[in-house]
Amino acid sequence: MSNADIFLGEVIGTAILILFGAGVCAAVTLHHSKAKASGWIVIAFGWGFGVLAGAYTAAPLSGGHLNPAVTVGIAVDTGEWGKVPLYIAAQLVGAALGAVLAWLAYYAQFQANADLTHAQPTLGIFSTAPEIRKPVANLVTEIVATVGLVLPILAFGRNAGIGIGPIPGEAAGIYGSGISVLLVSLLVVGIGLSLGGPTGYAINPARDLGPRLVHTLLPIPNKGTSDWGYAWIPVTGPLVGGLLSGIVFNAVF
């Protein structure tokens, strides 16, 4: 895979992921949306379908990581770190682009938010926030949830009929067959339903950091704080989780 293919694949795939993910959060959160208050299950499936669409789109070009934690886990497993910075840079760009596209899709609803007596906070559309702000507990939640994502992804490659695992010599190619992308998408839905309650399950540094930056910069009426004091947790936790997943996978499988 060329550097250009990797960059374009990860930008496009991650942008699609965030478009669906931020889009479903906007649909559930903002007034004057037909999906207003439709609930957590809708959000979990929206993010899962975002993974489905983004990974299928990116897989032929880049392997469809869409997540620095996945990239780090694969690098630990394969020992190939040379293209990790390229993957992560592309994922951050794609995440920011997807957040902008979601904002454009719901532009009228964001503008209408300015006219409400009790304006709806908008950060949760773009990034995660804890229900109970306890940094150590929040960090542990993100680490555990990310292990629940990355370790199964790595293991899928060792199951005949599901995937062939990482391409030797490359930090790419985690999806060896069509069904593996579907299984990862369902895995993300399951993580949202089971482990998303405490922190909103970032499980992906790019998914949180890129949209949080976009939230800071966009002219969103009554947008409130971007909560940069919390932002290190959804970045650090998933990276640690991805690293631990690679170490455990190498030791056990």
Side-chain angles (χ1 to χ4, degrees):
M1 296 180 182
S2 70
N3 288 344
D5 283 346
I6 290 171
F7 186 81
L8 289 173
E10 291 297 298
V11 168
I12 294 170
T14 310
I16 291 172
L17 164 63
I18 302 303
L19 173 60
F20 277 52
V24 73
C25 290
V28 171
T29 301
L30 293 172
H31 290 277
H32 309 294
S33 164
K34 294 182 183 298
K36 169 69 177 172
S38 51
W40 188 251
I41 293 177
V42 171
I43 289 174
F45 273 94
W47 277 103
F49 291 140
V51 171
L52 186 74
Y56 268 126
T57 303
L61 290 173
S62 65
H65 298 191
L66 314 187
N67 183 342
V70 171
T71 300
V72 167
I74 293 172
V76 172
D77 177 42
T78 63
E80 297 291 335
W81 290 86
K83 294 186 178 180
V84 168
L86 175 63
Y87 270 90
I88 293 177
Q91 290 154 2
L92 287 169
V93 171
L97 176 60
V100 171
L101 293 174
W103 170 68
L104 290 173
Y106 281 87
Y107 182 82
Q109 282 70 31
F110 277 109
Q111 295 304 113
N113 200 44
D115 300 327
L116 300 174
T117 303
H118 301 288
Q120 193 75 12
T122 58
L123 179 60
I125 294 170
F126 294 88
S127 297
T128 61
E131 285 297 300
I132 301 173
R133 186 176 291 263
K134 291 188 176 295
V136 173
N138 303 150
L139 184 64
V140 168
T141 296
E142 287 294 334
I143 292 172
V144 170
T146 306
V147 171
L149 172 70
V150 179
L151 187 58
I153 286 176
L154 294 174
F156 286 167
R158 296 293 176 89
N159 286 269
I162 293 178
I164 60 173
I167 296 173
E170 292 188 29
I174 58 175
Y175 302 114
S177 67
I179 193 174
S180 60
V181 179
L182 175 61
L183 293 179
V184 172
S185 305
L186 293 174
L187 175 62
V188 171
V189 173
I191 291 170
L193 296 176
S194 299
L195 302 173
T199 61
Y201 72 116
I203 60 173
N204 181 339
R207 168 262 178 277
D208 195 275
L209 183 58
R212 194 182 298 269
L213 178 61
V214 167
H215 180 265
T216 299
L217 297 176
L218 284 178
I220 302 171
N222 294 327
K223 67 181 176 182
T225 177
S226 297
D227 196 9
W228 284 101
Y230 178 77
W232 68 275
I233 291 175
V235 171
T236 304
L239 288 176
V240 172
L243 182 66
L244 290 176
S245 297
I247 292 172
V248 170
F249 185 77
N250 268 343
V252 176
F253 291 86

